Amino acid sequence: MIRTDQTSLAPPPLPPRLGRSQPILIPAQLSPPAHNNKPLIQFLAGVVMLHFFLSIGGFFYLFYKDKTVLLDNSPSADKRVGYLPTTQQEASSLALARMVIEPRSHTEKEEKSSGLLKWEKNSFRKNINSYKNSWLTILEPGNYYVYSRVTFSKGHPKLPLASRVMLRESETGEEKIVMKAYCSLNSNSISSSSESLLDPHMCTATQMELLTLKKGNQLSVWVQDLSVVDYEEEATTFGMYKL
């Protein structure tokens, strides 16, 4: 016989009553405080403003820099007070010349009447003009290193073998000697020239000098007898360059 008054089973729960709502518990999400995002927003705003001002500053810097470069390269830039030319501009204004002897085409009359050597028209010149193929005209005043090399292929029975560099103030100025050199074809004499030792029938008169020249000055090379000069290109030359 089963006793119903003693059992370990709990009684069933009572059913909910109709018409009465039961609360539903849903855990609410906790939102972070609003003040936690404020420093991040301020930092981003600062970065944006800094980038903006740097862009504007860089634009104005490049604009004024380009404007200054254009003014410095203008033709009137060297007229401004305190203007100093750059190394490249100084190098581009250097004056120099290397003249090559013109092939012999003189008549006997020309050889007797003039002792000035003539130079090739296509010889290298920069900021120096050529006048009548014999004179070099200075365009920039200053100190010039001037050199001359004249080779003689034969001697003269009465006159010494000499070359002279002549200077005149202008085209109509009086000529004067500023450089002079001699050489001898005597094979018995002691000479420091290697060309004279190798060939006693030729000698070279070489001269070099530092001259202070003015604008408009003219230089040329003169010999007593053009018929005794060696007209090979590298044997007889004349040139100068500004220091």
Side-chain angles (χ1 to χ4, degrees):
M1 184 175 180
I2 300 174
R3 296 183 62 181
T4 59
D5 58 337
Q6 296 181 355
T7 179
S8 60
L9 298 174
L14 297 177
R17 296 182 181 181
L18 298 175
R20 185 178 180 180
S21 61
Q22 297 293 331
I24 299 176
L25 299 178
I26 300 176
Q29 296 180 355
L30 298 177
S31 60
H35 64 275
N36 291 341
N37 294 332
K38 189 174 182 180
L40 179 60
I41 296 175
Q42 292 177 348
F43 173 77
L44 294 177
V47 170
V48 172
M49 294 300 295
L50 179 62
H51 183 270
F52 175 77
F53 286 115
L54 287 177
S55 300
I56 296 219
F59 171 79
F60 282 106
Y61 171 77
L62 294 176
F63 175 79
Y64 284 107
K65 183 179 180 181
D66 292 341
K67 188 175 181 180
T68 303
V69 170
L70 290 176
L71 289 176
D72 290 341
N73 293 333
S74 63
S76 60
D78 55 347
K79 299 180 181 179
R80 301 197 308 271
V81 177
Y83 173 79
L84 293 177
T86 62
T87 303
Q88 184 177 2
Q89 291 170 335
E90 289 178 350
S92 64
S93 63
L94 290 180
L96 54 94
R98 184 185 185 277
M99 310 305 291
V100 178
I101 191 70
E102 185 180 76
R104 185 178 180 184
S105 59
H106 309 289
T107 64
E108 292 295 329
K109 183 178 179 179
E110 288 177 338
E111 290 179 353
K112 293 179 180 179
S113 63
S114 174
L116 296 178
L117 296 179
K118 290 186 177 294
W119 311 102
E120 283 281 8
K121 295 181 179 180
N122 58 354
S123 298
F124 180 78
R125 291 180 293 103
K126 183 177 181 181
N127 296 332
I128 294 178
N129 284 344
S130 176
Y131 178 75
K132 293 185 177 180
N133 294 350
S134 294
W135 296 88
L136 293 180
T137 305
I138 302 300
L139 300 180
E140 299 179 2
N143 296 322
Y144 284 80
Y145 176 83
V146 183
Y147 67 91
S148 169
R149 183 173 70 246
V150 179
T151 300
F152 298 94
S153 59
K154 56 183 179 179
H156 194 281
K158 297 181 179 180
L159 301 176
L161 300 178
S163 69
R164 301 172 183 175
V165 175
M166 311 299 294
L167 168 67
R168 62 186 184 185
E169 297 293 330
S170 61
E171 297 178 7
T172 58
E174 183 179 357
E175 301 176 9
K176 64 179 180 178
I177 302 173
V178 291
M179 298 166 60
K180 183 189 298 184
Y182 297 89
C183 71
S184 175
L185 291 176
N186 187 359
S187 59
N188 295 325
S189 63
I190 299 176
S191 173
S192 60
S193 173
S194 59
E195 294 181 6
S196 297
L197 292 176
L198 293 176
D199 188 351
H201 301 292
M202 301 184 70
C203 71
T204 300
T206 303
Q207 47 192 328
M208 296 167 285
E209 189 61 79
L210 179 64
L211 300 177
T212 301
L213 303 174
K214 301 178 181 179
K215 183 178 180 180
N217 288 174
Q218 293 185 331
L219 293 173
S220 66
V221 179
W222 179 91
V223 296
Q224 291 176 320
D225 189 351
L226 293 173
S227 64
V228 299
V229 175
D230 185 359
Y231 288 88
E232 291 186 9
E233 181 176 343
E234 297 300 329
T236 302
T237 60
F238 174 52
M240 66 186 70
Y241 60 87
K242 184 181 179 183
L243 300 178

